[in-house]
Each structure stands twice: as C-alpha cells, then as structure tokens.
Amino acid sequence: MLANSKSAVSLALTLNWKITLLGLCFLPLLFRLGVWQVERADEKRQLIEHAFAQLQLPPISLIENTIPIKELQQRRVIVSGVFLPDRYWLLDNRVFRGRVGYQVIAPVLTDDGQTVLVNRGWVQAPPSRQQLPEVLFPKEKVSIHGRWKLVESNTLIRDIENKTSTNTDWPIRIQKIDFQSLQKQLGQNVLLGYLQVNPEDSQALQTDWKNINVMPEKHIGYAVQWFSMMAALAVALIFANTNLASVIRQAWQQKKPTIQ
C-alpha cells in the first residue's frame, strides 16, 4: 500500500545576521544602478529627439548667428575662414571600422577674428607610436558645413593632460577635447564647442559620426541585468534566513509515494 509517514515541516525564520546585513547593503545599490540605467536611457531618447529636431532646422552661419552658443548643440552650422597653418590636434585612440587612429581637430580663424575648432574626421595611425600622421590643409579661405557639438568638462582628463602635455611641437596628441588645455597650447581663446564636419564636405576626412555612443536599448538591457541581480539576491537572502529549502524539499518528496 501507499503511505507517507513523514511529518510536515513548517516554514521558520532562521536569521543569519552577517549575510542579511551584507545583502541589505547591496540591495539598494543594485536597485539604484538599475534606476540609473533607466534614467540614462531616457536621457539618450531626449538627445536623439533633440538631434532630430535640430537637423530639421536650416543651417546658419556661425559668424552671423545670434543664438547663444550653448543652444546650438547638434545644429547645422557653417564656418568660413582659414585654417591656422600647421596647427592641429590628434584625438587619440579613435577606432574607425576596426582600425586604430586619430580624429583631427583643427582651429579655423573666421572672418570676424574668432577661432573655431573643426573636427575633420579620422586618419589612420602610423605603425610606430613615435610617428604621427601628417594631415594636409588648404591655405585659402574655406567654407565648412557641419554640426555644432558641445563638450562636457572632464577634470580628470584635463589634469592628466596639463601634466603630460609639455610638448609644444605640432601636431599635438590629446586624449580628450578640453578647451582650457587647447587654448593654452594655441595661445588664444576658442569658442566653447566644435564643428563636426559633414561627411560630404570637401574638408572631411573619413567620418562615421553617431549622435550618441550608447543607444537607449542598451541602457535598458543594463537596467534589466541590475534588477535581475537584485531579485536573485533577494531570493538568496530568503533561502539563507529561512528553512524554505527544507520545506520545498519535503513537499517535493511527499509527491513521490512510498510503497510499503
């Protein structure tokens, strides 16, 4: 006949304070990281919408413009002037279609005497780190079309470059666009932003511009990972502080009839 002589095990709390305290420290951290990634995804959606709206507007001359420079992010602009001879920066560690190289940042002196930075695009790095690529520039006046970009300040990169950029020989290799360092090296003020040249412009090198580096969907994926880790930790805390595992094990065994 079939029989089950085992008595039922009731759920009981068996607190493990060390594990509990450790888990309670990590749970809010994991939750905050997940929320942060959701917020970042929302920010990226707003950036994409802003870029699309700006691209619908007609291009404007940067010289004749009356809009505050900080409001020109992603706006199509035109810069007219001449490149400063033999002066440009090489933005290091830029990858283009699987190849390592630099982006060329060059100052242009406009008709009204302002200095504007232009990102002409990518050039391949020579085989030796001691060599720098040579970039040709026109001597005559040019009219360059592109999108206006703003740069967030990064004090860590600035401090590193202030300590390491003692070489005044052009071109100068840099790790990030920092206007304080660039103005110091150039010896004159520049507008706080730069022109990202259109791919079809005559002054463009090799370009593959992206509005943002990380799409919103990727941030949502990161958020799901953080929330999943939080849920897994919560379940682990429940098992560590109760006899739930024994209850489940007995319930499973009771489903199997014993033949006597």
Side-chain angles (χ1 to χ4, degrees), residues 27 30 224-238:
L27 278 175
L30 294 172
V224 170
Q225 291 179 5
W226 290 122
F227 288 138
S228 298
M229 292 174 64
M230 183 186 72
L233 177 59
V235 171
L237 286 175
I238 293 174

Side-chain angles (χ1 to χ4, degrees), residues 123-150:
V123 292
Q124 186 167 356
S128 172
R129 184 70 177 172
Q130 281 66 42
Q131 292 180 298
L132 294 176
E134 183 179 353
V135 183
L136 299 179
F137 291 87
K139 296 181 180 180
E140 66 275 7
K141 179 180 175 180
V142 293
S143 184
I144 309 172
H145 293 68
R147 286 190 294 177
W148 190 252
K149 305 284 287 185
L150 301 177

Side-chain angles (χ1 to χ4, degrees), residues 47-48 50-51 54-55 62 69-77 79 103 105 116-119 146-152 177 179 191-198 209-213:
L47 288 174
I48 292 173
H50 176 75
Q54 290 287 73
L55 290 175
L62 196 62
I69 203 72
K70 291 184 178 180
E71 297 179 14
L72 291 178
Q73 172 76 324
Q74 297 286 5
R75 182 68 186 266
R76 291 186 294 165
V77 300
V79 171
Q103 286 180 6
I105 312 296
V116 179
L117 300 183
V118 175
N119 188 334
R147 286 190 294 177
W148 190 252
K149 305 284 287 185
L150 301 177
V151 178
E152 296 181 359
I177 298 176
F179 291 103
L191 288 184
L192 299 183
Y194 67 91
L195 184 73
Q196 191 180 70
V197 64
N198 286 344
W209 306 125
K210 295 180 176 64
N211 289 330
I212 55 175
N213 293 326

Side-chain angles (χ1 to χ4, degrees), residues 44-56:
K44 294 301 176 65
R45 291 192 192 97
Q46 294 179 19
L47 288 174
I48 292 173
E49 293 173 359
H50 176 75
F52 180 78
Q54 290 287 73
L55 290 175
Q56 306 311 306

Side-chain angles (χ1 to χ4, degrees), residues 165-183:
S165 298
T166 57
N167 182 19
T168 57
D169 294 333
W170 298 89
I172 298 176
R173 183 190 287 126
I174 58 175
Q175 301 301 318
K176 190 176 181 66
I177 298 176
D178 178 79
F179 291 103
Q180 291 186 16
S181 298
L182 269 56
Q183 287 179 142

